[in-house]
Amino acid sequence: MKFSQLDLSIQLSKALSHMQYSELTEIQEKVIPKLLRNESVAQSMTGSGKTLAYAVPLLQKITIEERHPQALILVPTRELALQTKKTLDALGLYLHTRHLLLVGKQSFHFQKEDMKQRTHIIIATPGRLLQHIQEHTVDLSHLSMLVLDEADEMLNMGFSDSINAILAEVPENRSMLLFSATMPAEIARISKKYMHN
């Protein structure tokens, strides 16, 4: 399947072309159409193009004029957060979407100030995001999309309580994407509790 067969905005199609993406990978073909229809998705596989699989539908559904964050991408490490932001920045080039990084080893104060500007998508690690939630410096009440990327890694790193605390703060009527290379009992429990279908 080709990206040109998807009903994407001109700006997003232009960015994909600029990045030299034309054919969807297997996981992108399985995930993107479902997400464009607001379905929740649980998938696995690393290095299969999954970042693009969720980034394209997220950006397609963003309302540019909205001031509050509409999507949250939760990742286990700062490195993966930086990599994800790089992909989003490239894809959102012609859309002019703003993607904010909330990770450790960066100034909490500067992140807090950044949150005062229009932000479309937040990419965060659980510990730092939870800190912002506890300090009331982030508003997740307008989220319509939530991504848990490498969920099993987050659990392996001891973020189970943080993830549950974060999920308790997001609206119930949002679509949720869960990517995990393995499906331990805790991931199954999270997906059953927080995913609609």
Side-chain angles (χ1 to χ4, degrees), residues 78 81-82 85 99-103 106 111 121-124:
R78 184 175 179 271
L82 290 162
K85 184 179 186 303
H99 319 116
L100 182 63
L101 211 54
L102 298 181
V103 296
Q106 286 186 349
Q111 289 175 356
I121 299 176
I122 294 173
I123 305 112

Side-chain angles (χ1 to χ4, degrees), residues 24-35 41 43:
L24 279 78
T25 65
E26 184 183 351
I27 195 167
Q28 290 163 1
E29 202 167 320
K30 286 179 179 175
V31 171
I32 292 174
K34 284 180 184 271
L35 297 182
V41 176
Q43 268 292 350

Side-chain angles (χ1 to χ4, degrees), residues 171-182:
E172 276 189 42
N173 61 336
R174 43 85 196 114
S175 59
M176 181 170 164
L177 298 71
L178 186 130
F179 292 90
S180 185
T182 59

